[in-house]
Amino acid sequence: MDEENNLKDNLKDNLKDNLKENILDKTNNTLNKIYKKKSYKYLVLLFLLIICIILFIISIYYGGNAESVSVGDITQAILHHTTGEVYKDVIIKEIRFPKVFGAILVGMALAGSGLMLQVLFRNLLASPYTTGISSGVLLMVSLVLFVNSFSEFFKAFMGYETLIAGWIGGLLSTLILIAIAHKSSESNSIIIISLLASYMFSGLTSYLISNAPVDSVKQYYGFSMGEVSKLTLDSLYPMTFAMIVFIILGIYLVKPLNALLFGENYAKSFGANIKQIRIKILLTTSFVVGLIIPLVGLMAFVGISGPYLARPIIKTSDNRYLLPASMLVGAILMLVCYLISLKYYLPIALLTNTNSLTILPIGAVLDIVGGIVVLYLIIKGEKKLIIQ
């Protein structure tokens, strides 16, 4: 009898296990079928867009510390284009709106650029920061701030000194990358050399800082931390222009990016010119990064975190969907970090026993959030940091 009971229990356990496995297999198959449908991807993009719009509205209404501006004033300004009071109009239109809209543009541009570079180098840690583009921008900005001859030369641009210098720095670093890409046949060797070049740029910048006056160092430090607080309506024009150009070029580059997903040898077998694709991607990313970073400073982790967070959401490597998803996730990440830095930062007074009203720079919040994401990526060993 005991043997019969044991056999019955074993059969029941086996049946339960088989049922569980069958249910899991059917569920996974059903989910995979849903994920493969275009309607799912469009719904995800729509969902991300709605979240971005909601965060934009929240940031407009609550993204400021001016007690004199109420929720009703914001609504009045949106509906009637004025609150009836000049100083409130200035706060809303020329201070709050540029910060929020600028945060969206920064997130979209850097996340989109990061995805392109990750696909190009087949490495999940590739970004405008790790490829040296950002370091080239910072080097040229530091030359303008710390070297008199450079600052005198760029004064001719009247108010756009750092923008023009930063764009030139990004272009120069990109030309170095193109020269390396032209001679090298391996993408991994390109990113290693470019990373070493970025260290060289950082070393030159550190040398300039060590011999610079205190006021200039403070100005550079605020720039290197990354913040949207200095954005104005005039700043939005070059950023919007760069974003429009980037979107147009991104649509044009979708097919080459998808060809690279299967490897360079596969792309070559279909007649793709790998060196030309590399140059186009590098020029596109350096153009937008070179115009945005000089205005907001260094935002290191958006380019890594945006694409990485978008992949499990959109459930595809097809850049027709992954590129816009990455850009929307980048915008959402920037808006969330903006609200955190503005409203829910840990007051300095709790740590220093002072009454300081210092607000945490958005770059610091991004570094913390991005650092956690990258650590998770490395610990999990996601595809061994290589895009298959």
Side-chain angles (χ1 to χ4, degrees), residues 13-24:
D13 291 336
N14 289 331
L15 284 171
K16 285 180 181 178
D17 291 337
N18 289 331
L19 281 171
K20 286 180 181 178
E21 288 179 4
N22 289 331
I23 291 169
L24 286 172

Side-chain angles (χ1 to χ4, degrees), residues 103-119:
I104 292 174
L105 292 175
V106 170
M108 291 179 69
L110 295 184
S113 298
L115 175 65
M116 287 186 180
L117 293 170
Q118 287 175 14
V119 174

Side-chain angles (χ1 to χ4, degrees), residues 244-349:
I244 293 170
V245 173
F246 180 76
I247 290 171
I248 294 170
L249 293 175
I251 294 170
Y252 171 71
L253 289 170
V254 161
K255 286 186 178 179
L257 286 168
N258 281 339
L260 290 174
L261 289 173
F262 300 98
E264 293 183 354
N265 292 330
Y266 180 87
K268 286 178 183 177
S269 67
F270 280 87
N273 190 321
I274 299 300
K275 290 183 177 179
Q276 281 188 7
I277 293 173
R278 285 177 183 171
I279 291 170
K280 289 174 182 177
I281 292 173
L282 290 172
L283 285 175
T284 300
T285 53
S286 67
F287 170 77
V288 68
V289 171
L291 281 179
I292 284 179
I293 288 182
L295 294 169
V296 296
L298 189 60
M299 305 283 185
F301 280 109
V302 186
I304 296 174
S305 304
Y308 177 69
L309 293 172
R311 285 187 176 91
I313 296 172
I314 200 71
K315 301 290 185 184
T316 183
S317 294
D318 189 340
N319 289 287
R320 290 179 299 173
Y321 309 104
L322 184 55
L323 182 59
S326 298
M327 293 168 70
L328 288 171
V329 170
I332 291 168
L333 186 62
M334 282 292 296
L335 288 173
V336 169
C337 290
Y338 172 72
L339 288 170
I340 292 172
S341 68
L342 193 68
K343 287 289 183 181
Y344 303 106
Y345 64 94
L346 181 65
I348 301 299

Side-chain angles (χ1 to χ4, degrees), residues 23 31 87 178 221 283 294 320 383:
I23 291 169
L31 287 173
Y87 78 95
I178 289 171
Y221 178 75
L283 285 175
R320 290 179 299 173
K383 299 180 183 178

